[in-house]
Amino acid sequence: MNYKKMLFLLATGVSLTSLGFVGCTQQEPNVEAEAPETSTLAGQTETTTKPQERPGDVPYVPTPQAVVDAMLEVAKVGENDVLYDLGSGDGRIVTTAAQKYGTRGVGVEINPELVQEATVNAQEAGVSDRVQFVQQDLFKSDFSEATVVTLYLLPDINLKLRPQLLQQLKPGTRIVSHAFDMGEWEPEQTLKVDGRTIYYWVVPEEVPANLL
């Protein structure tokens, strides 16, 4: 297991043995796995299926439901919001927002198997008409539609993603991160939930040059 994965698991309170083995928890590329067809929020547009283009940036560790609920509460999500979850895994943040608040949502995930799992979960929850899951590389994605962004990544990935978020997102967009901050960009709120940390920011009207 490389240093990044060890840091992630230790920082989030997940023991290596609790995962069932000591080794790589990240899904490796599967050239045979394909993402399902999904529809866009604006209509019934099919996505193309494709193999995973590269390994993911972080291991998949689900966010506990209590933390999901707190993240949505601090962002004050509502039915008029569009929530983008970056590294959406099994889709629980997007699906919960749609169930509880009627929020439209998009989950961005590089792993096609997780995209498929999230799509099935949304169907079972009865919110497929309000959410979609897309198989994309975060660093090639457009988040400009979002009014709320959620993420559970790693410190270096947050820092790498920060300029992209600040350049694409409109002022007033809320960003919520589970476990990791964004360096010198000070959060407006920091919460503790069941021993986990949640960071909350609002995109400013004028972004300081040192954050880009």
Side-chain angles (χ1 to χ4, degrees), residues 12 19 26 60 66-67 77 97 102 119 123 128-129 140 145 148 153 172 183 186 188 192 209:
T12 54
L19 295 178
Q26 179 172 296
Y60 171 52
V67 178
V77 301
T119 301
Q123 290 170 346
S128 295
D129 60 328
K140 299 178 182 178
E145 181 190 20
V148 178
L153 301 172
E186 292 292 332
E188 298 201 5
K192 290 284 187 180

Side-chain angles (χ1 to χ4, degrees), residues 168-184:
Q168 290 187 11
L169 297 175
K170 298 176 290 294
T173 302
R174 294 95 79 196
I175 301 175
V176 190
S177 174
H178 172 200
F180 301 110
D181 63 15
M182 291 200 185
E184 62 267 44

